[in-house]
Amino acid sequence: MGASDFAKLPHIGEAVRRKEDYRFLTGGGQYTDDIRLDGQLYAAFVRSPHGHAVVKSIDTAAAAAAPGVEGVFTGADVAADKIAGLPCGWLITSTDGTPMKEPPHPVLAQGKVRYVGDHVAMVVARSLEQARNAAEMVEVDYEVLPVVTQVAEAAAGQGVALHDEAPDNHCYKWALGDKAAVDAAFAKAAHVTRLDLVNNRLVPNAIEPRSAIGSYHRATDEYTLYVANQNPHVERLLMTAFVMGLPEHKVRVIAPDVGGGFGSKIYLYAEDVALTWASRKLGGRPVKWTADRSESFVSDAHGRDHVSHAEMAMDDQGHFLALRVHTHAALGAYLSTFATAVPTILYGTLLAGQYKTPQIYVEVDAWFTNTAPVDAYRGAGRPEATYLLERLVSRCGWELGLGQDEIRRRNLIDKWPYQTPVALQYDTGDYLACLSRAQQLADVVGFAARRAASEARGMRRGMGYSSYIEACGLAPSNIAGALGARAGLFECGEVRVHPTGSVTVFTGSHSHGQGHETTFAQVVAARLGIPVENVDIVHGDTGRVPFGMGTYGSRSISVGGAAIMRALDKIETKAKKIAAHLLEASDADIEFSGGNFTVKGTDKSIPFAQVALTAYVPHNYPLDKLEPGLNETAFYDPTNFTYPAGTYICEVEIDPATGVTRVDRFTAVDDFGTIINPMIVEGQVQGGIAQGIGQALLEQCVYDPASGQLLTASFSDYAMPRADDMPQLQLDTVCTPCLHNPLGTKGCGEAGAIGSPPAVINAVLDALAPLGVKEFDMPATPLRVWEAIRSAQV
Ligand code: MCN
């Protein structure tokens, strides 16, 4: 079935209420911490209080003798059992052809700690309180070392070396694009716009903190790991093949209900390995750990943390000739699972944005710093690219005396497919339609009057644009492999039709807030012509789902959903053969529509449920030609990314006396191709914009540069966006269906977080321009805005 026929099916585009919400709203969800296994023990981790130190000795005697303690484990125990370090999933090759520096990432510290929160020891006891009390008794003798926490300092060289393997803390230098062509274009430019900017470090802060239970079964020599994770099959693969040296089939990873991830739960974390390993050491008793919020702040992978310089060369009409970018990216103390791909493949390739910039050259230096590891956080590389480009484009307009819309209009791509100079080929889109619709919805025409009204009240008002593009559904495996991926990027789906015609789908995608139980059921119900209630979705269990690559990069509907569509094709093909037999017609004459199999040109017809029953009660059945049963599995490896795009327009009002910035209006017009469930998509966009506004106005993860202490380690110091920080959003969509997947969908899960920060900051700059403010870095807290106004006036 083609994407255009698919879009016309019933249930597609319908705001079906979320099937999973009954469970969640009535307290029936089962999160990892809700699970209580027989004889379950509790772990507490001893974490480094220092940003950088030699571990001279660890005395575990008092802890081991404390009440209820069943085991105390250190790096020495892990090493004695030959548990390897955590692997990095993406190999980046430096411009000089050398591989990135890949220092060991131990499960428990081996002689040194490298950030506040680094794992030093694990105490396991009969109760959580006993484990925590005993953890306090572990005596660690540290020799404190100097730290380097800021990426700019790391780049400048501070004489602090985190790893012997990278004495200058440099992990790699990566580049993309034709440098000579870019230099030549700059040489003949009529105007060059330059910009320095910082992309602030963020802490993901999912509602459910990380949690895991490791459990070893002596009788079968098998392990089960329950874990709040977005990616159970990959977690299992990495843990078995790379870290513990176990056969994969001996380990089952279950990621049950998960309360948000936003990227922070894609990875294999040290705790997951330590718990699984410790359960065996303790005779098979399960070992549980759940992070408290402070622990999450110091130990979850953080996001962003870039320092960049960008330059745009233009002709005298404001047409872009070339873009040149240099970025310093922080990786933190160790390489997290996808850390190296974020500031490279997921960043540099997005720098064309929506524009016909003929030449682009980007260079990225990535550095180890004495901080928590940095990895994907909602958008992963694409928000950093969009922030840089959209800030730069608005500035180009301001410098040339062109409006933010005009500079964009002059440069927008208007023909597809479009090959960018940074490797991607956009399949389809209509960027101008998004921009025009956003302007209409945002009432751009009325802005001048609103600005005048604000000024009459002593306030400043500004409008900011951002026309983002992103690449979702990481693809295809062979190209990703050539770019350094150490895993495939397909997805797997199994469709099991039961004898009564109801269906269970097993998907390798994982839903942790995105509503897959509803939207995937809509896809299946639409294809089979059955009610949405008759379809159940199973995810997050390597013991039940054949295989999977998990959920990140807004890939689930476009890759996971496409795998299910492939399995449905196979179901339809087989079901037609069964129907042909029942209807005494040839296979080729059977049509399937609206849940009925019909002989072409006749009224002879039977329903899907009858075919399903026949498949399992094969009395009148072509047993000589066809196996009984109706159960099909498919793998789908996309041929390209999907490219959602849109224009966001933000209007802020600023009180110049206090620096308080309020987002007054926010308009988002997105193109997600065919939309399965507009209500869920709207929720995704709202959530993403809330996180983007959080980054732009409030959130900033700060390490003390002198001591390496995390200064923003709780919600008192790290401001998350709240309901009253959010304006009423004006949302709409434009639809150009994706051309290379069978649903026509493009991902929507990250768009809001990608498109919104530059819209907000461009609005702040627009508001403050009359006061002389030209530079501004996120977040626009009252103090920073007030200081910017004051320093512009001296
Ligand atoms: N959808 C649709 N029509 C489309 C596109 C998507 O109906 N054209 C639906 C999908 O079927 C799915 C939802 O929208 O139910 C999101 O789909 P998709 O864009 O494929 O994204 P994923 O499901 O792969 O989710 C991942 C994405 C990412 S990368 C982050 S980070 C993120 C996000 O989703 N983390 C989230 N949204 C989140 N939402 C919640 N509540 N919690 C998180 O941790």
Side-chain angles (χ1 to χ4, degrees), residues 261-262 378 514 516 519 555-557 672 674 677 684 748-749:
F262 308 110
R378 202 169 193 170
Q514 296 90 343
H516 295 175
T519 51
R555 68 194 303 272
S556 299
I557 195 63
F672 300 131
T674 303
N677 185 324
Q684 288 293 308
C748 73

Side-chain angles (χ1 to χ4, degrees), residues 40-44 66-71 123-132 134 282 287:
Q40 177 176 286
L41 302 172
Y42 296 83
V69 171
E70 298 284 337
V123 177
V124 181
R126 285 197 284 275
S127 77
L128 179 59
E129 291 66 31
Q130 289 170 330
R132 287 185 172 173
L282 295 168
V287 186

Side-chain angles (χ1 to χ4, degrees), residues 238-297:
L238 296 176
M239 192 166 84
T240 55
F242 294 89
V243 183
M244 295 181 75
L246 295 170
E248 217 173 335
H249 68 285
K250 288 289 186 189
V251 178
R252 178 176 178 186
V253 176
I254 302 176
D257 285 330
V258 173
F262 308 110
S264 68
K265 293 174 183 162
I266 312 176
Y267 325 118
L268 175 63
Y269 281 96
E271 292 89 350
D272 308 345
V273 175
L275 298 165
T276 310
W277 165 76
S279 174
R280 180 176 181 147
K281 302 288 281 182
L282 295 168
R285 277 171 297 171
V287 186
K288 177 192 266 189
W289 164 80
T290 299
D292 59 26
R293 188 56 66 180
S294 306
E295 218 174 357
S296 301
F297 267 101

